[in-house]
Amino acid sequence: MTTIAFPIPSTEIIQERVAAAVRAGLMRRPKRLPAWLFYDEAGSRLFDEITERPEYYLTRTERGILAQHCGAMVGRAAGLESASLEASNLNSFSLDAIGLDGISLDRLRIVELGAGSADKTRLLLKAAVAQQGTVIYEPVDVSLSALETAKERIELEIPGVNVMPRVEDYTQGLELDPTPAGERRLVLYIGSSIGNFEPWEAECVLARVRAGLNPGDALLLGVDLKKDEATLLAAYDDAAGVTADFNLNMLARLNRELGAEFQLDAFEHRAVWNPDQSRMEMHLESRVAHRVRIDALDEELEFEEGERIHTENSYKYLPGQAEALLAASGFEPVESWTDEQGWFGVHLGRVI
Ligand code: AVI
């Protein structure tokens, strides 16, 4: 596999980062831990399971929007004007069927932030293949194994896709090769991961991505939208308890990697809607007053009964906020798509 690799931290450095994050987050009040700690191997598997839970509407809603509009999305990203789109009554990946003779589109190269695990990415890749015959797909991820799996699966499933993985931490920006004349990049940042950043961080991440792109390139951004509280609470506290396991896995990870002695049943998963900040929050709440030793830090932590560790924020955007975020980070908002209920938004922005 040809993989473009940038210096990725070794296991020791990752463990030092985990230790530093725990020292900074748990030796203060209120206690908190960063959400990136969720995604070790077990946590990534649990997250995949969450996306299949009936209460977790995000994945299937975004998939529905992409299924309906992927042809329009790749067409617009390649330079098709909305007027031509309307005239063609374009949907799905039926570009080849609508007679685009005479309309010259640039070739697209598709970059994805995070190794696209799912059928959501496939929809866009298939639409690009239908539009231009073949497509180069550059998934960007810090995990080489996630990229290897993505390459094997996608090349097998979709003839015409050439996967060129990049091992890189996209939150620090992108170092992409120059594209030939007549080719543009479409960067996918779907799945609503942008919602896990604080608003100012989200703007920094997108601005860094923007800095690695050229005029005419585009970004497709998926954001979860604000909706009724009951729907949100259920999505982050599913009846089968998968989200609870995902949250508690953070403590299990600290047991594995730092020799911590967390008793998982001493903590309870809490999902909370914060209306002032328009975000879902996840916490781990101590059921009893107790102490926990962390070997690697040579520290003993004290928990009061009911004391919480804040583990995640998931921002739910208001109408217009995603477009404002795109504009603030250097993209011109081009078009937005949503579902019938207005639960999720997919937004296309272009580098100007
Ligand atoms: C990855 N991210 C978009 C998920 C979310 O909904 O914020 C993570 C997650 N947390 C709990 N369930 C899923």
Side-chain angles (χ1 to χ4, degrees):
M1 172 172 86
T2 317
T3 305
I4 317 285
F6 288 79
I8 286 298
S10 63
T11 315
E12 292 78 49
I13 292 180
I14 291 173
Q15 294 207 347
E16 271 171 36
R17 282 191 191 158
V18 172
V22 171
R23 196 183 284 282
L26 292 189
M27 313 219 3
R28 67 194 279 277
R29 283 216 166 114
K31 292 181 170 54
R32 58 174 313 149
L33 287 170
W36 58 262
L37 279 173
F38 283 133
Y39 301 97
D40 65 351
E41 217 181 301
S44 301
R45 229 178 304 114
L46 285 164
F47 176 67
D48 284 345
E49 267 184 59
I50 288 176
T51 64
E52 316 252 298
R53 301 316 309 158
E55 298 92 334
Y56 195 74
Y57 60 85
L58 289 82
T59 310
R60 68 169 178 278
T61 309
E62 187 181 40
R63 187 192 301 123
I65 299 169
L66 296 179
Q68 199 179 345
H69 300 290
C70 56
M73 289 166 180
V74 297
R76 293 289 272 137
L80 195 63
E81 295 304 322
S82 58
S84 322
L85 260 176
E86 273 156 33
S88 66
N89 188 25
L90 180 68
N91 63 22
S92 189
F93 31 89
S94 56
L95 270 167
D96 51 351
I98 52 146
L100 281 172
D101 299 350
I103 298 177
S104 105
L105 295 179
D106 280 348
R107 279 190 70 76
L108 280 185
R109 196 182 259 240
I110 296 188
V111 179
E112 184 167 19
L113 308 184
S117 59
D119 30 273
K120 288 187 292 182
T121 307
R122 276 179 230 146
L123 290 165
L124 291 156
L125 292 174
K126 283 183 185 167
V129 170
Q131 179 168 290
Q132 59 191 37
T134 57
V135 67
I136 294 176
Y137 169 54
E138 302 171 309
V140 181
D141 204 284
V142 287
S143 156
L144 180 61
S145 63
L147 288 168
E148 282 169 341
T149 315
K151 178 172 170 70
E152 206 174 301
R153 210 189 33 233
I154 285 170
E155 284 188 346
L156 203 73
E157 274 179 39
I158 319 174
V161 180
N162 176 11
V163 184
M164 295 176 63
R166 305 184 71 91
V167 184
E168 217 176 321
D169 177 2
Y170 63 79
T171 62
Q172 301 309 311
L174 290 176
E175 294 206 23
L176 300 167
D177 307 321
T179 44
E183 192 166 295
R184 304 178 185 207
R185 279 197 165 89
L186 167 62
V187 177
L188 310 180
Y189 198 21
I190 53 181
S192 180
S193 295
I194 195 71
N196 295 129
F197 291 102
E198 296 304 306
W200 66 270
E201 289 174 319
E203 191 180 317
C204 277
V205 169
L206 296 190
R208 283 189 186 141
V209 168
R210 153 75 188 81
L213 300 175
N214 295 314
D217 290 346
L219 171 73
L220 193 68
L221 180 69
V223 300
D224 194 20
L225 301 173
K226 187 177 169 222
K227 56 190 62 62
D228 68 280
E229 186 173 341
T231 302
L232 288 165
L233 288 174
Y236 289 81
D237 194 8
D238 61 279
V242 183
T243 309
D245 289 346
F246 173 71
N247 202 3
L248 285 161
N249 176 62
M250 206 186 266
L251 302 181
R253 175 175 185 176
L254 304 188
N255 288 350
R256 288 190 289 271
E257 293 185 18
L258 299 183
E261 294 172 4
F262 285 101
Q263 300 289 330
L264 300 197
D265 55 8
F267 289 87
E268 193 168 356
H269 165 67
R270 292 262 182 235
V272 177
W273 169 241
N274 180 332
D276 298 332
Q277 301 287 337
S278 190
R279 69 188 190 204
M280 279 302 301
E281 298 178 357
M282 296 212 306
H283 300 259
L284 290 164
E285 184 174 304
S286 176
R287 294 177 198 268
V288 286
H290 71 299
R291 299 170 79 85
V292 177
R293 175 159 173 82
I294 303 187
D295 241 356
L297 304 186
D298 195 19
E299 293 284 354
E300 199 163 270
L301 302 175
E302 210 176 298
F303 287 88
E304 289 170 13
E305 182 184 340
E307 187 176 353
R308 290 177 174 184
I309 308 173
H310 187 165
T311 51
E312 184 183 60
N313 290 325
S314 191
Y315 282 86
K316 306 304 168 192
Y317 284 61
L318 305 174
Q321 274 184 339
E323 290 90 336
L325 171 63
L326 283 175
S329 43
F331 294 90
E332 178 187 41
V334 170
E335 192 159 347
S336 300
W337 297 267
T338 188
D339 54 292
E340 267 178 13
Q341 303 184 94
W343 276 9
F344 201 95
V346 180
H347 304 267
L348 186 72
R350 177 160 297 136
V351 177
I352 31 173

